[in-house]
Amino acid sequence: MNTVFIAGHARLPSGMAAKSIYDTLTITAEIDKKYGVIVTAGCTLATLHGREFVQQLLRGHSLQDGIERPVQVVKEHYLGKAGNALESALNDLYKQYEEFARK
């Protein structure tokens, strides 16, 4: 298998629909081992539309280039209450990726 599955987590703000289901937001990503490219991604936003939107935003970014660009894309295009949680979860996911890449 040429990919690895990595997850990042962050606390959700109060007042969100997903907060009634989860206490944390999770972003998962299937990442190409050789190039660090996000093949597909998922998250625990409450709506299917939101989950699919985040997936589209993240797909194709290489984590070998860092997490700054994916975070910036999310900031520019996702304007919901979970924006800060998405950013934190992405940073956590990147930390997990860095640990994997060091091995």
Side-chain angles (χ1 to χ4, degrees):
M1 180 158 248
N2 298 326
T3 59
V4 64
F5 184 86
I6 299 178
H9 308 278
R11 288 203 171 275
L12 281 168
S14 59
M16 290 196 57
K19 181 78 172 170
S20 64
I21 303 168
Y22 310 105
D23 283 328
T24 59
L25 176 108
T26 300
I27 294 178
T28 58
E30 181 180 357
I31 301 167
D32 177 83
K33 289 179 182 179
K34 186 172 182 177
Y35 300 105
V37 173
I38 298 173
V39 176
T40 189
C43 68
T44 55
L45 289 175
T47 65
L48 175 61
H49 190 207
R51 294 188 300 268
E52 289 174 345
F53 188 75
V54 170
Q55 178 185 44
Q56 290 173 23
L57 291 176
L58 298 178
R59 186 182 310 134
H61 289 280
S62 174
L63 296 182
Q64 288 181 357
D65 297 332
I67 196 64
E68 295 80 15
R69 184 64 188 142
V71 166
Q72 187 61 38
V73 168
V74 169
K75 281 182 178 181
E76 289 173 6
H77 298 280
Y78 180 89
L79 305 179
K81 283 187 176 183
N84 289 336
L86 286 167
E87 180 180 346
S88 294
L90 276 172
N91 284 314
D92 186 50
L93 183 140
Y94 185 67
K95 287 178 190 174
Q96 305 300 320
Y97 171 75
E98 286 183 311
E99 286 182 29
F100 163 75
R102 274 191 230 118
K103 295 179 183 179

